[in-house]
Amino acid sequence: MSNTSLTNAAVTKAAEPFQRRQFLRGALAVGIFIPATGMLASCVGGGGTTAAPGGTVSAKNPFGMADKSTVDAVIFKGGYGIDYADFAGKVVEKAQPGSTVKVTAATNIAQTLQPRFVGGNPPDVIDNSGANLIGINTIRAQLEDLTSVIEAKNLEGKVIKDTLYAGVVEPGTFDGKFVQLNYVLTVYAMWYSASLFETNGWTVPTTYDEALALGAKAKAQGKYLFGWGKEAATYYQTMAIASAIKEGGDDVRLALENLKDGCWSLQPIQDVFAGLKKIIDAGYMQPGGAGTQFTAAQAQWSNEEKFLLYPSGGWIENEMKTQTKAGFKMTGAPELTVTTSSKFPQKSLHSTAGEGYIVPSQGKNVAGGKEFLRAMLSNDAAVNFAKTTFSSTIVKGTIPADGFGSTALVSQVKLLDGAGSDVFSWNFVDLYGLNTDQLVVWNTFLQGDSSVAQLTSSLQSITDKVRNDSSVKKVTVT
C-alpha cells in the first residue's frame, strides 16, 4: 500500500501533451502550500548542506559525500516494493566508488522511526509513506532543505530541476522550506477490469446513482460493487473527498485543508456520504472488509473478481501484479460525482506527487542521503522505476507510449489527458497524520455499523482535535 503514487506519462507522444500543459503545475497548483510570508513556496532559497566529515565537493560529488561512507536508507515497503530503492543504491555505489548503501524496508514508518528521531540518530534518507507515516508537521524543523538537490546536476550532467515536471517543489515546501521530495506521480482513480465490463456490456458509472444501479447488476451475477481491506478503509475517504471537491469545487478543498469548524458537514461532502451509504445499505459493499488484510481484499477484486470497482492510486497494478487474473485489463476511471452538474467536470482528476522522501539533519551522512536522492532522479533510476512498478516518477520522458505493456499505465495517461488542467489534490491528512484515527472510523462505516451523521461527527472530532491543539503548528492553504 502506498499513501500516495501516479504513473509517469512521458513518452514521445504521451509526453508532449504533458509538457504543453506543464502537468504538475496543473496537478498541484490547487493544493499548493502558501507560506506565512504570502510568497509562493517555489521561491525558496537554497538550503545548507551538512557534508559528512572528510567529504570533498566536486562536480561528481556535489554534496561532499565522504569517501567510502555508508548511506542508511529506510524505505516504505508498500505498493512499489523496495527493489527500485536497491537499484538507486547501486547507482550511488557506482557513482561514489567505495561507498555502501544500506536499504532497509519498513511497513510502519512512524512506529519504526520516531524512536530514532527522539534518540537523535535518524536514517540518512527516508521514504516517509504508508498509512502510518510520520506527520511531516511534527518533524519538519529536523529536516534538511532539499533545494540543493534539485539545483545539482544529475548523473547525466543536467541540472535536476530542469528534468522534472513543473511544480514538484510546492507540495513538499512548508513555511518556505523545501523539506520533502515527492518522487512518484500518482493518479487516483476508480479501478476496474475492462475485460469483465466488456464481457457483461457494463458501462463504468460516473455518478453515485449510476454506481448504485450497477451494484444491482453485479448482485444479479453474485458479485459486489465495492470491497475493502482494513488497512485501506480510508481509500474510500480519498474517493469521497475527491467526489466532494468535484461536486463543490475549491470551497470544499480549502475548508478541509484549513481544518475549518464544520468542514465535514458541507453539503457536497454530505451528499457524497449519503450516496456511498445507499450503496452500503443496499448490500453492494462486500462484507468482512474490516477483518480482511488489505492485499487479500484487493486480490478478491483483481484475481477472483468478487467485486467490480476499487478506489486506489496508480500503485495498485504493481502491488497486485502477482495476484491479478490473466487478461484482467486493469483500467482506471475518474472518481464519481453526485450530479451531472458538478462544479468541476466529471473527468477532473485527483492527482499529485507522492512517496515523500526526506533527509533528516541529524543523520550521520546527510550528504549521502542527498546523493541517494540524486541517484533516484537519474534517468536510469527513473526509467527502472517506471518499467518495474508501472508508475511514473517526477522525472520527465521516461515512459513509452505503450506504457511498457501496462493497461493501467496507459489508462492513467488517458485520464490525465482527459482531465487537462482540471487536476487537484490536498495535503491535510498526511500533514497532520490523521489517517490512523480515520481508519477506525471508515472501517466502521463501510461495514454498515454507523450512519452518515456518526461518520461526520467522528471525522469532525478528529479534525477539531488537531485544530484546537495549540502545540500543533498549522499551515494555511489558499
Side-chain angles (χ1 to χ4, degrees):
M1 179 169 58
S2 176
N3 67 322
T4 49
S5 318
L6 178 169
T7 306
N8 194 345
V11 204
T12 26
K13 289 185 180 179
E16 291 172 3
F18 275 48
Q19 291 164 355
R20 283 198 304 270
R21 66 175 178 265
Q22 291 181 295
F23 166 66
L24 265 181
R25 181 158 61 192
L28 302 178
V30 228
I32 184 175
F33 282 124
I34 305 298
T37 60
M39 296 178 64
L40 286 178
S42 58
C43 298
V44 298
T49 332
T50 310
T56 302
V57 175
S58 66
K60 292 185 177 181
N61 188 18
F63 312 118
M65 181 176 168
D67 292 341
K68 300 180 180 179
S69 62
T70 298
V71 179
D72 179 7
V74 175
I75 309 298
F76 171 67
K77 187 175 183 180
Y80 302 122
I82 65 166
D83 288 349
Y84 77 93
D86 286 327
F87 184 96
K90 290 180 173 60
V91 172
V92 172
E93 292 173 349
K94 182 178 179 181
Q96 307 297 335
S99 64
T100 302
V101 178
K102 176 187 175 185
V103 174
T104 304
T107 55
N108 187 323
I109 294 295
Q111 183 178 5
T112 302
L113 296 182
Q114 279 181 330
R116 294 189 60 178
F117 274 94
V118 173
N121 65 329
D124 302 317
V125 61
I126 301 164
D127 172 19
N128 184 36
S129 301
N132 297 300
L133 51 71
I134 303 172
I136 200 73
N137 211 37
T138 65
I139 58 170
R140 54 180 170 152
Q142 304 174 52
L143 304 177
E144 284 289 294
D145 189 314
L146 301 179
T147 305
S148 59
V149 173
I150 63 170
E151 289 184 344
K153 289 186 177 180
N154 64 13
L155 299 177
E156 294 79 37
K158 298 179 181 179
V159 175
I160 290 174
K161 64 184 179 183
D162 295 337
T163 70
L164 310 179
Y165 285 110
V168 297
V169 171
E170 286 84 350
T173 299
F174 306 91
D175 285 345
K177 185 180 178 184
F178 175 39
V179 297
Q180 179 169 286
L181 178 75
N182 293 327
Y183 185 64
V184 185
L185 292 182
T186 306
V187 159
Y188 292 88
M190 196 170 59
W191 299 90
Y192 66 100
S193 164
S195 57
L196 179 65
F197 272 63
E198 289 163 5
T199 298
N200 289 280
W202 291 332
T203 300
V204 180
T206 61
T207 66
Y208 281 87
D209 283 344
E210 289 179 4
L212 188 67
L214 179 61
K217 295 177 182 178
K219 188 174 183 179
Q221 295 202 21
K223 298 181 185 294
Y224 294 92
L225 180 68
F226 287 119
W228 89 101
K230 57 185 177 181
E231 301 92 341
T234 47
Y235 285 10
Y236 284 87
Q237 173 175 278
T238 300
M239 180 179 76
I241 292 174
S243 294
I245 291 174
K246 286 186 182 187
E247 199 65 36
D250 270 344
D251 289 346
V252 174
R253 180 183 64 82
L254 292 172
L256 292 170
E257 287 279 65
N258 292 307
L259 311 177
K260 294 294 185 182
D261 184 24
C263 57
W264 293 100
S265 295
L266 290 172
Q267 196 59 50
I269 296 178
Q270 290 295 294
D271 289 344
V272 170
F273 286 174
L276 190 53
K277 180 64 172 172
K278 285 181 182 178
I279 291 168
I280 295 168
D281 288 348
Y284 300 157
M285 180 74 70
Q286 179 166 298
T292 305
Q293 198 268 342
F294 80 99
T295 52
Q298 290 171 180
Q300 292 171 349
W301 165 70
S302 63
N303 197 40
E304 302 172 51
E305 297 185 331
K306 288 187 175 181
F307 57 93
L308 273 53
L309 303 171
Y310 188 65
S312 180
W315 62 81
I316 185 67
E317 181 181 30
N318 186 64
E319 190 166 62
M320 302 308 296
K321 63 184 177 183
T322 63
Q323 299 182 76
T324 298
K325 182 179 179 180
F328 189 77
K329 295 171 70 174
M330 193 178 293
T331 306
E335 289 153 312
L336 302 168
T337 56
V338 176
T339 68
T340 56
S341 57
S342 54
K343 284 195 176 181
F344 289 172
Q346 200 277 329
K347 289 184 178 181
S348 61
L349 207 59
H350 171 205
S351 178
T352 187
E355 296 299 308
Y357 274 80
I358 55 178
V359 175
S361 296
Q362 287 186 300
K364 292 182 179 179
N365 192 354
V366 172
K370 292 183 177 182
E371 182 66 13
F372 184 85
L373 294 183
R374 189 170 80 105
M376 287 184 61
L377 295 168
S378 68
N379 187 72
D380 285 350
V383 169
N384 174 73
F385 182 91
K387 187 175 183 178
T388 58
T389 69
F390 299 122
S391 296
S392 169
T393 71
I394 57 176
V395 181
K396 296 184 288 189
T398 58
I399 293 185
D402 66 353
F404 300 111
S406 162
T407 58
L409 191 51
V410 169
S411 75
Q412 290 180 67
V413 174
K414 290 181 179 178
L415 286 170
L416 286 161
D417 199 40
S421 60
D422 293 314
V423 186
F424 58 86
S425 189
W426 60 89
N427 299 281
F428 74 103
V429 175
D430 288 351
L431 177 62
Y432 299 110
L434 304 181
N435 190 70
T436 300
D437 290 339
Q438 291 169 335
L439 274 171
V440 177
V441 176
W442 277 94
N443 271 298
T444 301
F445 182 70
L446 294 176
Q447 65 188 8
D449 290 343
S450 67
S451 65
V452 168
Q454 289 169 323
L455 172 67
T456 304
S457 176
S458 297
L459 292 173
Q460 193 65 56
S461 293
I462 293 169
T463 301
D464 291 346
K465 184 178 179 181
V466 175
R467 187 184 71 250
N468 297 328
D469 187 344
S470 59
S471 68
V472 176
K473 187 175 182 182
K474 315 305 188 301
V475 176
T476 300
V477 183
T478 59

